[in-house]
C-alpha cells in the first residue's frame, strides 16, 4: 500500500499529493510517469511525476479532477493508501547542455515541466519558462518555476494575470529574436496547445519535444491503447515515450483518439457521483 503523506489544493480543481513510494523515488527521473490505482477495482491512471525526493522516498503527483478516477483520488486525504503506484515508467527526458532552451507548461502541464526545467538548468542551460492557463485561478507553482528559470513569462487566456496571450505568442517573439538563439523547446499541456507550439516552432527548425498523455491501460506496450502516429509510423507512448519530437506527431489523429471515450467518461462521473450521494444519504439516516 502506498500512503498519501501530504495533500494540497493548488486550485479549485488541481490537487497535489505526496506519496510514500521509495522504490519509485529511487529511480525516478525528469520526464517519467507513474500509473496509480486507487483500489482493487479502480482504473489505472497515468500521471507524470511532478517531483521526487530520493532521501524521503516520496513522489509528488499533481492532477486535475476531471474524470471519475481523478475526482475520487482528489477526495482522499493524508493517511489514506493507494492500491498500486507503478513506476517510474517511460523514458526520462534527454538532459544535456544545449544552450538557451524554452520550457512551456500549459495548465496542469506546469507540474511535469518543472522537473525538466530544473534538470536542464542544473545541466548548465539558460532557461526561459513560459507558463499559461485559461485564467489566474488555474495557475500554480509560479514560484517554483521562477526558482528554476532565468526568465519567466506568465500568460492567461483572459488576461486575469500576467500577459493576456496564448503561450504561442511569447514563444514566437522569442524565436523571432535572433539574439536569443533558442536551441530547443519543451512543451507540456493540453494536446491542442502542444500542437500549436509545434506549428509555431517548425518554420524556425527548432527541435521541439512534447510529452503525450494518451489513453493508457497497462503501461507496458501490450494493449496498444496509447498508440500515437508519427511520420515513421506508430509508436506507443508508454514504452517509446512519453516524450516525442513534436514535429513528427500526427496531431489530428491524436486529438481524435483522445475524444473516443468522452461520452463514457461523462457517464462514469455521473454514475459515481450519484452513488456517492446515495451512500452519503444512507450514512446520514443511520
Amino acid at each position: 500500500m502506498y500512503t498519501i503523506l501530504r495533500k494540497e489544493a493548488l486550485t479549485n480543481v488541481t490537487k497535489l499529493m505526496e506519496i510514500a513510494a521509495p522504490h519509485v523515488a529511487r529511480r525516478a527521473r525528469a520526464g517519467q510517469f507513474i500509473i496509480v490505482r486507487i483500489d482493487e477495482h479502480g482504473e489505472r491512471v497515468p500521471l507524470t511525476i511532478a517531483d521526487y525526493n530520493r532521501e524521503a522516498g516520496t513522489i509528488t503527483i499533481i492532477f486535475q479532477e476531471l474524470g471519475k478516477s481523478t475526482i475520487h483520488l482528489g477526495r482522499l486525504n493524508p493517511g489514506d493508501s493507494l492500491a498500486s503506484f507503478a513506476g517510474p515508467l517511460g523514458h526520462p527526458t534527454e538532459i544535456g547542455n544545449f544552450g538557451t532552451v524554452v520550457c512551456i507548461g500549459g495548465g496542469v502541464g506546469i507540474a511535469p515541466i518543472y522537473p525538466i526545467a530544473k534538470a536542464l538548468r542544473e545541466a548548465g542551460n539558460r532557461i526561459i519558462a513560459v507558463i499559461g492557463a485559461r485564467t489566474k485561478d488555474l495557475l500554480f507553482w509560479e514560484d517554483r518555476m521562477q526558482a528554476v528559470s532565468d526568465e519567466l513569462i506568465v500568460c492567461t487566456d483572459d488576461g486575469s494575470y500576467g500577459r493576456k496571450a496564448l503561450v504561442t505568442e511569447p514563444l514566437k517573439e522569442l524565436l523571432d529574436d535572433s539574439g536569443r538563439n533558442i536551441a530547443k523547446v519543451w512543451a507540456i499541456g493540453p494536446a491542442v496547445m502542444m500542437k500549436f507550439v509545434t506549428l509555431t516552432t517548425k518554420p524556425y527548425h527548432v527541435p521541439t519535444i512534447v510529452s503525450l498523455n494518451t489513453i493508457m491501460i497497462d503501461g507496458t506496450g501490450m494493449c496498444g491503447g496509447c498508440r500515437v502516429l508519427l511520420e515513421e509510423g506508430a509508436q506507443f507512448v508508454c514504452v517509446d515515450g512519453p516524450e516525442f519530437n513534436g514535429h513528427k506527431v500526427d496531431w489530428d489523429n491524436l486529438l481524435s483518439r483522445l475524444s473516443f471515450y468522452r461520452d463514457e467518461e461523462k457517464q462514469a462521473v455521473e454514475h459515481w457521483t450519484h452513488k456517492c450521494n446515495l451512500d452519503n444519504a444512507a450514512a446520514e439516516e443511520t
Side-chain angles (χ1 to χ4, degrees):
M1 303 296 284
Y2 302 89
T3 304
I4 300 170
L5 302 178
R6 185 169 71 90
K7 175 183 176 182
E8 179 184 351
L10 299 178
T11 76
N12 288 337
V13 295
T14 310
K15 298 292 192 300
L16 174 152
M17 285 183 176
E18 195 171 292
I19 313 295
H23 72 287
V24 182
R26 278 196 298 269
R27 296 178 175 272
R29 293 167 63 188
Q32 293 183 296
F33 67 99
I34 55 90
I35 292 183
V36 61
R37 194 165 52 100
I38 297 173
D39 53 42
E40 61 180 4
H41 302 294
E43 70 173 324
R44 295 162 60 83
V45 182
L47 296 169
T48 310
I49 295 170
D51 204 358
Y52 54 87
N53 186 318
R54 301 194 200 283
E55 293 182 359
T58 61
I59 294 289
T60 299
I61 57 173
I62 293 176
F63 56 93
Q64 282 190 341
E65 298 173 325
L66 297 175
K68 178 261 179 186
S69 293
T70 48
I71 294 173
H72 186 182
L73 182 61
R75 294 193 180 184
L76 301 182
N77 293 299
D80 292 334
S81 295
L82 305 168
S84 63
F85 197 82
L89 301 171
H91 294 285
T93 302
E94 178 190 353
I95 302 298
N97 191 339
F98 306 104
T100 298
V101 300
V102 179
C103 294
I104 303 173
V108 75
I110 296 169
I113 204 67
Y114 165 75
I116 294 173
K118 180 181 178 182
L120 287 167
R121 194 180 198 199
E122 289 173 350
N125 295 277
R126 174 175 172 78
I127 308 297
I128 302 175
V130 182
I131 60 173
R134 293 196 308 274
T135 185
K136 177 183 179 181
D137 293 339
L138 294 175
L139 282 169
F140 62 91
W141 273 16
E142 179 183 354
D143 56 340
R144 285 204 176 200
M145 290 302 299
Q146 182 70 68
V148 298
S149 304
D150 296 282
E151 183 178 344
L152 175 65
I153 301 169
V154 183
C155 304
T156 51
D157 295 0
D158 62 2
S160 55
Y161 186 75
R163 175 175 173 178
K164 183 178 181 179
L166 302 177
V167 295
T168 49
E169 294 181 39
L171 172 61
K172 188 175 187 308
E173 292 168 2
L174 292 169
L175 295 168
D176 282 334
D177 185 348
S178 59
R180 297 283 191 170
N181 195 24
I182 305 301
K184 207 164 185 176
V185 172
W186 274 262
I188 308 180
V192 67
M193 182 212 85
M194 293 188 288
K195 172 185 176 179
F196 282 98
V197 165
T198 61
L199 290 176
T200 301
T201 59
K202 194 168 186 177
Y204 299 87
H205 306 289
V206 174
T208 302
I209 307 301
V210 296
S211 180
L212 304 183
N213 188 9
T214 54
I215 295 169
M216 195 177 293
I217 300 174
D218 67 292
T220 65
M222 297 295 291
C223 74
C226 66
R227 186 171 68 255
V228 59
L229 291 183
L230 305 177
E231 288 180 359
E232 56 267 36
Q235 292 194 18
F236 300 127
V237 171
C238 64
V239 292
D240 297 315
E243 294 187 350
F244 295 93
N245 179 342
H247 295 154
K248 294 186 175 184
V249 175
D250 184 334
W251 291 103
D252 292 337
N253 178 271
L254 176 63
L255 289 164
S256 175
R257 288 177 62 82
L258 288 173
S259 66
F260 275 3
Y261 301 105
R262 192 161 292 164
D263 291 342
E264 288 82 0
E265 290 166 355
K266 182 179 178 181
Q267 291 169 12
V269 171
E270 292 172 350
H271 175 77
W272 187 77
T273 302
H274 179 66
K275 181 180 181 301
C276 288
N277 290 338
L278 291 177
D279 291 343
N280 292 336
E284 290 176 0
E285 289 179 1
T286 58

